[in-house]
Amino acid sequence: GINAEYGFKNKYDTFWWFGENYYRKYGDKWPLSDQTESPEGYVYPSISDFKTVAMLALTLYVVRFLFEKVIAEPIGKWFGLKHYTNSTPPGPNKKLEALIAKTKKPNKKQIEEVAKLADMEIRDVEVWIRRKLREITPSQLTKFKETMWRFVFYSSICGYGISIMWNQDYLWNTMLCWVGYPDLTWAVPNCLYYYYMVSGAFYLSLLVSQFHDTKRKDFWEMFLHHIATLSLIGGSWIGGGYRMGSIILVIHDVADVFLETAKLGIYLKWEMVSNVCFAGFTLSWILLRLIFYPYKVITSSLFESTAVLGVWPANIVYGLFLIVLQVLHIYWFTFIVKLLVKILGSNDDTSVEDNRSEDEEIPSSSEED
């Protein structure tokens, strides 16, 4: 427990949250705040790093806009993808709009019922629905550009993450994430500093951009995912837990690369690519997010850390966010299972489609972790 001699008179003291070892080392001052220079090749966490993340997020936002406009759009057009051409607007109709708000794919019975309510011919209702869906549905080119950006980012950050994490002993022995805390966990290697800053900036940019990107059925689940991810990134960074935080980042990036590649295969009608990458996505999701994550990451964060450091309040909060991510992993896995059942139950060559799309039966990610 916390010893009174360390001055814990207020449970809301910032340093109380990080435990006895933390307070014993740093007292009532911010960790290493008196350190003017960090060792060569290392960085000390600082509150100013949050400003860095915010500025990088804005930069990524601009880079994304330029990438989609200058690179992704010409590539998509070269492969024959187009924006929807202007068509006759459907015109206002409250009864039909209520139907579309309920389902983007009304069945025959629903069309017949709404035709009677709106006093319209069934043919006219079908024409109105097609025009309305064309009006509100993002084009294949728009979705291709968004996916191309995420593919390039995830591929780059995943490759970088694996290259710097592969030889880290704590990746293979998670107990080492906590040994020596906080003395041995404050000086962060530059390579991991860059990894953290860019990853945090990307998730922050996604948190904002999802409000104007292609809408998904799991919009609010993804919003919760981004909040939990950013909380874990920020908390682990400023609390000296970057070792476990970097493990979480790298194991989540792998599945995202397969997912975005599979979706590119869908838009370009590369069936073999989409199906093979979907298989890789499913396998990596099961191994890394449904097995490694709960049995190594959550277990280490809740139990190994307690065995080394004792109970410390901030870790309880971290644990809750980790569990939130795991619940989302399981929730999104149901989409994967549904898609697998659909593919395996089809008599023809069914290509992978994203079950989360509101506008089409077009696997989910956390992009996204």
Side-chain angles (χ1 to χ4, degrees), residues 192-221:
L192 283 172
Y193 168 78
Y194 302 139
Y195 189 40
Y196 247 79
M197 294 300 103
V198 174
S199 295
F202 182 69
Y203 283 111
L204 182 57
S205 70
L206 287 182
L207 181 68
V208 176
S209 68
Q210 76 168 131
F211 286 91
H212 61 74
D213 286 344
T214 301
K215 289 294 187 295
R216 305 290 185 186
K217 296 176 183 178
D218 60 350
F219 176 89
W220 290 110
E221 290 86 352

Side-chain angles (χ1 to χ4, degrees), residues 19-310:
E20 181 176 333
N21 288 354
Y22 185 105
Y23 198 87
R24 188 201 303 270
K25 176 70 176 179
Y26 300 113
D28 58 356
K29 68 181 188 301
W30 191 259
L32 302 172
S33 59
D34 58 340
Q35 195 83 31
T36 55
E37 292 186 10
S38 57
E40 184 177 356
Y42 290 82
V43 174
Y44 289 127
S46 168
I47 286 294
S48 64
D49 294 329
F50 291 108
K51 297 179 182 178
T52 301
V53 167
M55 293 303 297
L56 280 174
L58 181 60
T59 302
L60 283 176
Y61 216 81
V62 174
V63 170
R64 172 187 169 172
F65 173 80
L66 295 175
F67 175 86
E68 290 186 359
K69 192 69 176 176
V70 177
I71 298 176
E73 185 165 325
I75 291 176
K77 288 181 177 179
W78 189 76
F79 279 105
L81 301 179
K82 301 177 181 179
H83 288 300
Y84 291 137
T85 56
N86 294 330
S87 60
T88 305
N93 190 310
K94 293 183 178 180
K95 292 182 175 62
L96 299 187
E97 288 169 358
L99 175 63
I100 294 301
K102 181 179 179 181
T103 174
K104 299 296 187 298
K105 292 186 175 182
N107 55 39
K108 182 178 180 181
K109 182 178 179 181
Q110 290 173 316
I111 292 176
E112 291 174 350
E113 290 176 349
V114 77
K116 292 179 181 179
L117 290 174
D119 193 23
M120 295 173 62
E121 296 292 332
I122 292 178
R123 173 63 178 169
D124 293 336
V125 171
E126 292 173 339
V127 170
W128 188 96
I129 290 175
R130 283 198 297 271
R131 289 175 177 174
K132 186 65 177 179
L133 291 178
R134 180 175 289 274
E135 179 182 76
I136 66 177
T137 301
S139 67
Q140 291 288 88
L141 181 57
T142 296
K143 289 182 285 189
F144 172 83
K145 292 191 300 180
E146 294 176 4
T147 302
M148 186 74 176
W149 164 249
R150 291 193 297 268
F151 164 77
V152 169
F153 180 86
Y154 283 130
S155 298
S156 302
I157 202 68
C158 181
Y160 179 74
I162 292 174
S163 70
I164 63 176
M165 289 293 294
W166 191 259
N167 293 323
Q168 300 294 334
D169 51 2
Y170 55 82
L171 175 63
W172 312 105
N173 182 2
T174 52
M175 180 70 82
L176 297 178
C177 291
W178 317 106
V179 173
Y181 177 90
D183 303 74
L184 301 181
T185 60
W186 277 114
V188 183
N190 282 337
C191 58
L192 283 172
Y193 168 78
Y194 302 139
Y195 189 40
Y196 247 79
M197 294 300 103
V198 174
S199 295
F202 182 69
Y203 283 111
L204 182 57
S205 70
L206 287 182
L207 181 68
V208 176
S209 68
Q210 76 168 131
F211 286 91
H212 61 74
D213 286 344
T214 301
K215 289 294 187 295
R216 305 290 185 186
K217 296 176 183 178
D218 60 350
F219 176 89
W220 290 110
E221 290 86 352
M222 187 62 74
F223 182 81
L224 176 61
H225 166 270
H226 294 334
I227 293 295
T229 300
L230 288 168
S231 299
L232 286 169
I233 290 175
S236 62
W237 177 254
I238 213 65
Y242 78 87
R243 291 179 175 180
M244 180 55 71
S246 58
I247 293 176
I248 296 171
L249 285 172
V250 76
I251 66 173
H252 281 76
D253 289 338
V254 175
D256 290 322
V257 175
F258 282 112
L259 172 64
E260 301 306 331
T261 308
K263 292 170 71 174
L264 286 176
I266 295 171
Y267 303 137
L268 299 178
K269 301 187 185 304
W270 294 349
E271 186 174 322
M272 179 62 72
V273 171
S274 62
N275 288 340
V276 169
C277 288
F278 177 69
F281 167 70
T282 303
L283 183 61
S284 62
W285 190 283
I286 293 172
L287 293 178
L288 297 178
R289 300 198 187 195
L290 299 183
I291 297 177
F292 185 91
Y293 179 82
Y295 288 105
K296 295 298 291 184
V297 172
I298 294 181
T299 299
S300 178
S301 298
L302 294 181
F303 301 109
E304 290 182 348
S305 65
T306 301
V308 176
L309 306 172

